[in-house]
Amino acid sequence: MKPETHLRGDGGLSSRTRGIAHHGSGGDSGHLRRLNLDRVLVVAMDRPDSFTRAELIEATGLSAPTVGTLVSHLIRSGVVRELGAGPSRGGRRPAFMEFNARHGFVAGIDLGPTRTRLSVADLRGEPLAHRIVPTPAGIGPEALLSRMAGAVRALMRDEAAPPEKLLAVAVGAPGVVDYDRGVVTLAPNLSGWTNVAVRDTLERALEAPVVVENDVNLAVIGEHWRGAARGHVTCVFLFVGTGIGAGVLIDGELHRGHHFMAGEIAVMCMGPQYLSVDFGSRGCLETLAGLQGLAARWPSGGRGDPVRWMAELFEAAQKGDRTAHQAVDETARLIGIAVANVGAVVDPSLIVLGGALFAQAEPLVHEVRKVVSSSSPRWARKRPSGAASSWPPARRAASSGCACAKRASRCEVVDRHG
Amino acid sequence: MKPETHLRGDGGLSSRTRGIAHHGSGGDSGHLRRLNLDRVLVVAMDRPDSFTRAELIEATGLSAPTVGTLVSHLIRSGVVRELGAGPSRGGRRPAFMEFNARHGFVAGIDLGPTRTRLSVADLRGEPLAHRIVPTPAGIGPEALLSRMAGAVRALMRDEAAPPEKLLAVAVGAPGVVDYDRGVVTLAPNLSGWTNVAVRDTLERALEAPVVVENDVNLAVIGEHWRGAARGHVTCVFLFVGTGIGAGVLIDGELHRGHHFMAGEIAVMCMGPQYLSVDFGSRGCLETLAGLQGLAARWPSGGRGDPVRWMAELFEAAQKGDRTAHQAVDETARLIGIAVANVGAVVDPSLIVLGGALFAQAEPLVHEVRKVVSSSSPRWARKRPSGAASSWPPARRAASSGCACAKRASRCEVVDRHG
DNA sequence: TCACTTTGGCAGGCAGTCTAAGGAAGTGTT
DNA sequence: AACACTTCCTTAGACTGCCTGCCAAAGTGA
């Protein structure tokens, strides 16, 4: 039996330490223990190779006996594997050990409007396998999810990973996600997705704890963990594609907002002249600067594959085509304003630009950068924010899913065998 | 001798629980202790009247013996006073006690461009005395601060509070404040204020721990604690006066940003048409919608006392004067856009509007509300954010200072006698 | 061979919590 | 008036977790 309850309560992305001893339930000495065990685990996971107890003592700042008992726990549970003695450095030979990344697995499911990315990773978050499938259309959310669950199981089989070793699943969805309840409240780009209980459905199908999160939120976690935003505890991932959205990381924690709509800048108003315009369900910024907006500025835009006509547009712009150039410029300016405004509100140390638009057009990124730096006041000259993510989206999706499941899996590991 | 070091490290507004046992420094069992003591204190402070041990046990969820020892500590230190036995409720008579709010005092100093508000409050944050003085002009920051220190000492004397009972001082400044170092980095509205070491200066003068914070940040803490935003852990205070700025509270914690510039929406760009305009050190939004912007739209604006001509303007608008009406409308629209955009990024449960502009003109607030609700997409209809703060600014300043010093004082109290 | 270093384990102590039991001081009922 | 019962608080004892101090193991270097 899996301790899902515990995970749901403690294991999500939100790692903020709660008040202690919530109701005398069994005391609270365990709190300390868990904290320190977590510390040891973090260090162990981050070591690419083997390590010794002495290194853990050094890295965690804990005392030798404490590390000793914690490590022996981890060894007993199988999360850490003993490797035998290593070469001496002038004294007793150290006992080497390594983090057993394959002690469990995590899966990521990134539901896109057209494509869905599936991935399975080890406990360190290293992707082992991934697959991109067209998002099935015409079937209900339940059927779709069950099909995806099947695909995850297949990936697990391919990696010779027994199903019960699936310790956590992260799901990203384009839209508003009620993280607490694991429900996709509304996803305009997935037809028929309103109040879909993704977590419950998938937990039944996969028998593993599931977290559901907005896709851009997952992206910012991924960028922070393994991507362009490493080391930037307060950062923003700004995505421009068909839709426009931002993921906001504050002090290393995801900021979701009161209605789980933080970063929904699709609706950002780009000036008083647009106040009387009704943009429908799509917001001002998204309508003006999203793929749709770009298409409206380019005669042959909007027809056929977006990737194709966008490539043509950018090529034409570079060759001096006035219309094309203007289309790119106007879009870049709007995005630049959005970036600057988000920057003014959040004041991150980095804003990462992602999405199809940036992946294809370095000039556009350049223009955005220019707007941002001109819009910041002289006395506030920040470091140039906005480095287009050079990270392949697929990889990003995979690892962000893993990042999402990271903490969850850690807790799981600890709890099941501790 | 005061344990200032401890306070500086642990007592600020940032109450996020840190990693434990940072380097074997004396062990870490004390951590638990402090946490639980804190819990008891919070409950005790929030009770308006007397209370018993049993109530604390109920409210904190701690065990009876734990509460017993913690309470006896507090009694010994003087933070809690015994009142004697109360009436029985069918059993042994309970021992009543009360929080001794006058066991210490906190002071707040709100440095404004024209006026500076000083206040002294008890440990519960209840204002005891406050004073508004014109901000001295023509003297350097050091001299100014020393004068303010003198005023605080005088207020303390008036309340018959011995100087050593001043446990914490909170300073608000209009501008960018390096909270970690207690330095006002830049305050355009206070002439000559660049890199002023406010904390060091005042700590020497007052011999009490000092925290320095952006004034709007203090305001949002105050609104959350005692004002319009009670219960709203994620909220924004948006100030419009000479300057424009916002304080952002996220999950009950102040969000300062990487450069301590979060919420500096004065520079928010209000549309592509403004990209080529150089607003100088004042940003786009502030220039267009601040007091200056309003003045530019109203012939007799900008001359004389702002309060006077603003009153005239609003009266004229209400009477049907086209120019006045348009000036108010345009300003309101811009502010509405700003509110909506901040809302989109942060997704708070409430945005509180504050500052001279709103205090005077209910119609303006109305218009802002209209813009906000029209700019939010249909499917995202939030609760109407933006309730103009009905809280007197003076009171707000005072209590925000106190709120700011709240945690600090708590730690101090605990530490000095614990 | 001997001193010294590095690594890891064990014993003992301390701090803080909890549960369990008990004392104190009432109310209510017979 | 005696008794049971309630409520409130304290004391006693056990548990958990951390730490320091000491010691054994197993090497290096002179």
Side-chain angles (χ1 to χ4, degrees):
Chain A
M1 203 192 78
K2 298 195 178 187
E4 292 178 15
T5 13
H6 170 72
L7 240 167
R8 219 170 276 171
D10 204 10
L13 281 90
S14 155
S15 73
R16 187 154 295 170
T17 315
R18 251 150 340 154
I20 229 167
H22 226 228
H23 198 85
S25 59
D28 106 7
S29 28
H31 185 252
L32 265 179
R33 188 81 195 255
R34 241 171 303 156
L35 236 58
N36 286 335
L37 192 52
D38 217 62
R39 256 162 95 134
V40 171
L41 259 176
V42 169
V43 174
M45 282 175 78
D46 286 355
R47 301 273 148 152
D49 302 318
S50 57
F51 51 88
T52 71
R53 285 177 179 76
E55 280 175 54
L56 292 179
I57 292 164
E58 167 72 24
T60 58
L62 298 170
S63 74
T66 305
V67 169
T69 55
L70 293 179
V71 162
S72 70
H73 252 227
L74 291 176
I75 289 175
R76 263 200 302 281
S77 72
V79 190
V80 165
R81 232 186 343 223
E82 292 183 281
L83 293 179
S88 163
R89 289 198 314 157
R92 173 174 173 173
R93 293 169 60 194
F96 272 99
M97 62 197 101
E98 69 175 0
F99 179 70
N100 179 13
R102 294 182 67 103
H103 177 255
F105 300 87
V106 296
I109 303 177
D110 181 13
L111 293 164
T114 58
R115 281 184 306 276
T116 292
R117 291 179 245 270
L118 304 157
S119 63
V120 166
D122 63 21
L123 274 189
R124 213 182 246 117
E126 223 54 62
L128 299 177
H130 85 271
R131 214 181 128 193
I132 303 182
V133 300
T135 304
I139 62 175
E142 303 278 332
L144 194 156
L145 287 174
S146 121
R147 215 181 278 186
M148 292 305 135
V152 166
R153 274 195 299 262
L155 279 182
M156 289 284 287
R157 264 199 307 278
D158 293 351
E159 290 301 309
E164 73 273 13
K165 286 214 164 182
L166 181 64
L167 298 185
V169 180
V171 181
V176 181
V177 175
D178 183 329
Y179 175 80
D180 294 336
R181 297 188 301 142
V183 169
V184 171
T185 310
L186 187 107
N189 290 330
L190 298 175
S191 67
W193 280 60
T194 315
N195 291 317
V196 179
V198 176
R199 185 173 66 197
D200 290 350
T201 306
L202 279 180
E203 282 190 346
R204 262 197 299 275
L206 289 171
E207 294 189 311
V210 172
V211 287
V212 192
E213 186 56 87
N214 176 281
D215 56 351
V216 189
N217 284 357
L218 284 190
V220 75
I221 293 178
E223 293 291 345
H224 173 57
W225 191 36
R226 298 266 166 114
R230 262 171 281 200
H232 294 268
V233 290
T234 298
C235 65
V236 171
F237 179 85
L238 199 148
F239 175 90
V240 180
T242 309
I244 295 185
V248 181
L249 201 73
I250 289 182
D251 285 332
E253 299 274 338
L254 206 47
H255 170 56
R256 298 191 181 82
H258 185 253
H259 319 78
F260 301 103
M261 287 175 57
E264 286 288 343
I265 54 170
V267 299
M268 182 180 275
C269 180
M270 301 309 288
Q273 66 271 32
Y274 299 111
L275 269 185
S276 47
V277 183
D278 182 6
F279 291 100
S281 72
R282 295 300 165 77
C284 187
L285 173 61
E286 183 166 294
T287 306
L288 295 173
L291 229 52
Q292 205 182 54
L294 194 62
R297 290 193 179 82
W298 173 240
S300 67
R303 264 169 297 175
D305 183 32
V307 178
R308 188 127 107 243
W309 66 255
M310 270 168 57
E312 285 169 19
L313 165 63
F314 289 128
E315 203 185 309
Q318 207 145 24
K319 278 187 183 156
D321 182 310
R322 267 192 81 85
T323 317
H325 198 80
Q326 204 169 343
V328 172
D329 261 25
E330 283 174 6
T331 307
R333 267 186 223 130
L334 288 166
I335 296 172
I337 291 173
V339 170
N341 287 355
V342 170
V345 174
V346 177
D347 184 25
S349 58
L350 183 73
I351 295 180
V352 178
L353 307 177
L357 226 62
F358 302 114
Q360 302 216 9
E362 179 53 35
L364 196 143
V365 176
H366 222 78
E367 186 67 24
V368 168
R369 276 216 192 84
K370 228 170 68 188
V371 172
V372 170
S373 62
S374 82
S375 169
S376 294
R378 277 192 294 276
W379 50 270
R381 197 71 79 198
K382 315 178 183 183
R383 356 192 338 199
S385 46
S389 170
S390 60
W391 226 30
R395 178 86 200 276
R396 189 164 63 230
S399 96
S400 58
C402 304
C404 182
K406 199 181 171 190
R407 265 199 63 81
S409 65
R410 223 154 55 212
C411 288
E412 171 75 18
V413 167
V414 171
D415 218 49
R416 194 193 281 183
H417 307 270
Chain B
M1 206 192 79
K2 298 194 179 188
E4 292 178 15
T5 13
H6 169 72
L7 240 166
R8 219 170 276 171
D10 203 12
L13 281 89
S14 156
S15 72
R16 188 155 295 173
T17 317
R18 250 150 339 158
I20 231 166
H22 228 230
H23 199 84
S25 59
D28 106 6
S29 28
H31 185 252
L32 262 180
R33 187 81 195 255
R34 243 172 301 155
L35 235 57
N36 286 336
L37 192 52
D38 217 62
R39 255 163 95 136
V40 171
L41 260 176
V42 169
V43 174
M45 282 175 77
D46 288 354
R47 301 274 148 152
D49 303 319
S50 56
F51 50 88
T52 70
R53 285 176 180 77
E55 280 175 52
L56 293 180
I57 292 165
E58 167 71 26
T60 59
L62 298 170
S63 73
T66 305
V67 170
T69 55
L70 293 178
V71 163
S72 71
H73 252 227
L74 291 176
I75 290 174
R76 263 201 302 282
S77 70
V79 191
V80 165
R81 230 183 348 220
E82 291 183 279
L83 293 180
S88 162
R89 289 199 313 155
R92 173 174 172 175
R93 292 168 61 195
F96 272 97
M97 63 196 102
E98 68 175 0
F99 179 70
N100 180 12
R102 292 183 68 100
H103 177 257
F105 301 86
V106 295
I109 303 177
D110 181 14
L111 292 165
T114 57
R115 281 184 306 275
T116 292
R117 289 179 246 270
L118 304 158
S119 63
V120 166
D122 64 21
L123 275 189
R124 214 182 246 116
E126 223 54 63
L128 300 175
H130 86 270
R131 215 183 127 193
I132 302 182
V133 300
T135 304
I139 62 175
E142 303 278 331
L144 193 156
L145 286 174
S146 123
R147 214 181 277 184
M148 292 306 134
V152 166
R153 274 194 298 263
L155 279 182
M156 289 284 286
R157 263 198 307 277
D158 293 350
E159 290 301 308
E164 73 274 12
K165 286 214 164 184
L166 182 62
L167 297 186
V169 180
V171 182
V176 181
V177 175
D178 184 330
Y179 175 80
D180 294 335
R181 297 188 302 143
V183 169
V184 172
T185 310
L186 187 109
N189 290 330
L190 299 175
S191 66
W193 280 61
T194 315
N195 291 317
V196 179
V198 175
R199 185 174 67 198
D200 290 351
T201 306
L202 279 180
E203 282 189 346
R204 262 196 300 274
L206 289 170
E207 293 189 313
V210 171
V211 287
V212 191
E213 186 55 87
N214 175 283
D215 56 352
V216 188
N217 285 356
L218 284 190
V220 74
I221 292 178
E223 293 290 346
H224 173 58
W225 191 37
R226 298 264 167 117
R230 262 171 283 200
H232 294 266
V233 291
T234 298
C235 65
V236 170
F237 180 84
L238 199 147
F239 176 90
V240 180
T242 310
I244 295 185
V248 180
L249 200 72
I250 288 182
D251 284 333
E253 298 275 337
L254 207 47
H255 170 56
R256 299 192 180 83
H258 186 253
H259 319 78
F260 301 103
M261 286 174 58
E264 286 288 343
I265 55 170
V267 300
M268 183 180 276
C269 179
M270 300 311 285
Q273 66 271 33
Y274 299 110
L275 270 185
S276 47
V277 183
D278 181 9
F279 292 101
S281 71
R282 296 301 168 76
C284 183
L285 174 63
E286 184 164 298
T287 306
L288 296 173
L291 229 53
Q292 206 183 52
L294 194 64
R297 291 192 178 83
W298 175 240
S300 66
R303 265 169 297 177
D305 183 31
V307 177
R308 189 126 106 247
W309 65 255
M310 270 169 56
E312 285 168 17
L313 165 62
F314 290 126
E315 203 185 310
Q318 208 147 23
K319 278 186 182 158
D321 182 310
R322 269 193 78 84
T323 316
H325 199 79
Q326 204 169 343
V328 172
D329 261 23
E330 283 174 7
T331 306
R333 268 187 223 129
L334 289 166
I335 295 172
I337 292 173
V339 170
N341 287 355
V342 170
V345 174
V346 176
D347 183 26
S349 59
L350 184 73
I351 296 180
V352 178
L353 307 177
L357 226 62
F358 302 115
Q360 302 216 10
E362 179 53 35
L364 196 142
V365 175
H366 222 77
E367 186 66 24
V368 168
R369 276 215 191 85
K370 228 171 65 187
V371 172
V372 170
S373 61
S374 82
S375 170
S376 292
R378 277 190 295 273
W379 50 269
R381 199 69 80 198
K382 317 178 181 183
R383 357 191 338 198
S385 47
S389 170
S390 59
W391 224 33
R395 178 87 199 276
R396 191 165 60 232
S399 96
S400 58
C402 305
C404 182
K406 197 181 173 191
R407 266 198 62 80
S409 66
R410 223 151 58 210
C411 289
E412 171 75 19
V413 166
V414 171
D415 218 50
R416 193 192 281 184
H417 308 270

